[in-house]
Amino acid sequence: MLLSLFYLSLLSLSFSHSHSLSLSFPLSLSKRPSPVSSSVSPLFSSLSAYGSVKLPFKYSTALVVSLPIGTPPQPTDLVLDTGSQLSWIQCHRKVHKKLLKPKTTSFDPSLSSSFSLLPCNHPLCKPRIPDFTLPTSCDQNRLCHYSYFYADGTLAEGNLVREKFTFSNSRTTPPVILGCAQASTENRGILGMNTGRLSFVSQAKISKFSYCVPGRTGPDSTGLFYLGDNPNSANFKYISLLTFPKSQRSPNLDPLAYTLPLKGIKIAGNRLNISSAVFKPDRSGSGQTMIDSGSDLTYLVDEAYEKVKEEIVKLVGPLMKKGYEYAAVADMCFNDGETAEVGRRIRDMSFEFENGVEISVGKGEGVLTEVEKGVKCVGFGRSGRLGIASNIIGTVHQKNTWIEYDLANRRIGFGGADCSRLK
């Protein structure tokens, strides 16, 4: 299980990623990429004009999609990450064998006629106001260099480049600014999908996307991803996103994240005695509640985590694995032989949001997630152990549900589904 969390942009903490997915989306019918100016240009002139495209994604703690990048296109594995801004691809041939997992899909720039490097004098490389979410510098070749270090130990650094996504001879995107990693401890790239100006959705002017995470992980586990309209959306429940003016920005707040107005948590039909204030950012930004496709577990601030644990102990305390803690963040865990009874006693979990919207996030054994062979945990971790003061709703609590990010209307949609059976 991969803990996809946050990355340190050298001097600041910014939000991160996970690994395993696939997607679908509409494209402009452009045979030739239009030039990219110092400001990011739109990739798709109109999504509605071309409908939506859907693709399957692999799910093994991360949502991983294989996208055709370059000219001619090279299949490239990317993790769909709504908690990250910059997309980046693996461009290096030489890997850190001790750290890098096998079966790396690496993009070869020399084989693409549409590939270009960003020079040092590009405004993104030398911004008037430093952007700590995108740490850049000039390298010895006068090219724009970037470096990300993620809290889970992942390193990605290389050059900023322009490259297009080529889905067919008539379906291509203009050049997208992304990272081309020559050094990385990961075996896949990132498809950055947050609200930042350099995210894929922002550069492409995509107004809506959605995905459906299957109930189980594994090599054969797949879900669906749409860019554009989802044909199932008529039955979705929608929740308005929280937005923050610049005057409200604070050290612990991530203004680029998808922030939800979480009000409470129910376990076995009981609403826990947690103040709704712990789910909403205070003056320092602490308490922000984000939904993130790049995080596997759901992370809670200590006050909320302790209340959840108190209820779990009351329901299944004697069955818990004594003295066990997963990755120093999760300690509500059980041996495989106990999970059926645990699921029966816990029954179900749900999250309560503003305007009376309640979303089921697990039933029976579905409230548990496997963290290692023979061990399953209730899918919550302590965010304080990561050095952050936020709540993050991870994919463990997004399973068997359509999650739609409606950027145009600033809302998130939820719709129940059997994601493993979708075609």
Side-chain angles (χ1 to χ4, degrees), residues 24-59:
S24 71
F25 50 108
L27 307 165
S28 62
L29 304 181
S30 170
K31 293 183 179 179
R32 178 182 302 176
S34 57
V36 175
S37 65
S38 60
S39 62
V40 179
S41 65
L43 300 184
F44 307 127
S45 57
S46 172
L47 288 181
S48 59
Y50 303 105
S52 297
V53 179
K54 67 178 180 181
L55 292 174
F57 65 82
K58 295 179 181 178
Y59 176 51

Side-chain angles (χ1 to χ4, degrees), residues 19 45 63 69 91 95 98 106 130 142 150 153 195 211 236 238 265 270 280 340 346 369-371 382 402 417:
H19 300 31
S45 57
L63 315 183
I69 299 177
C91 289
V95 300
K98 292 183 179 179
S106 185
R142 302 293 299 165
Y150 293 80
T195 65
Y211 55 78
F236 291 176
Y238 286 95
I265 298 174
N270 297 319
K280 188 174 182 179
I346 294 178
T369 185
E370 185 174 38
V371 296
R382 299 176 186 268
W402 278 112

Side-chain angles (χ1 to χ4, degrees), residues 402-420:
W402 278 112
I403 311 291
E404 181 182 79
Y405 296 73
D406 184 349
L407 284 73
N409 295 301
R410 296 185 177 183
R411 62 183 186 173
I412 299 290
F414 296 87
D418 186 346
C419 299
S420 62

Side-chain angles (χ1 to χ4, degrees), residues 2-19:
L2 172 70
L3 284 176
S4 79
L5 312 173
F6 296 72
Y7 55 76
L8 285 168
S9 298
L10 297 183
L11 299 178
S12 72
L13 188 68
S14 176
F15 291 88
S16 115
H17 75 245
S18 157
H19 300 31

Side-chain angles (χ1 to χ4, degrees), residues 330-369:
D331 59 2
M332 294 179 281
C333 303
F334 309 86
N335 290 319
D336 251 353
E338 310 285 2
T339 56
E341 179 63 15
V342 171
R344 188 188 69 79
R345 294 189 192 182
I346 294 178
R347 291 193 350 241
D348 54 49
M349 287 187 186
S350 60
F351 291 162
E352 295 180 313
F353 296 94
E354 280 186 353
N355 300 323
V357 176
E358 183 175 334
I359 305 298
S360 174
V361 296
K363 293 181 182 297
E365 289 186 68
V367 302
L368 304 174
T369 185

Side-chain angles (χ1 to χ4, degrees), residues 1-5 60-61 101 152 295-299 305 320-334 369-373 375-382 385-386 396:
M1 172 179 289
L2 172 70
L3 284 176
S4 79
L5 312 173
S60 56
T61 74
K101 299 173 184 178
D152 66 356
S295 178
D296 182 22
L297 296 180
T298 289
Y299 292 90
Y305 185 91
M320 290 174 65
K321 191 173 173 65
K322 307 302 181 191
Y324 180 87
E325 190 172 49
Y326 171 69
V329 297
D331 59 2
M332 294 179 281
C333 303
F334 309 86
T369 185
E370 185 174 38
V371 296
E372 63 175 279
K373 188 174 178 60
V375 180
K376 293 183 179 180
C377 298
V378 177
F380 292 99
R382 299 176 186 268
R385 298 284 181 87
L386 306 176
V396 68

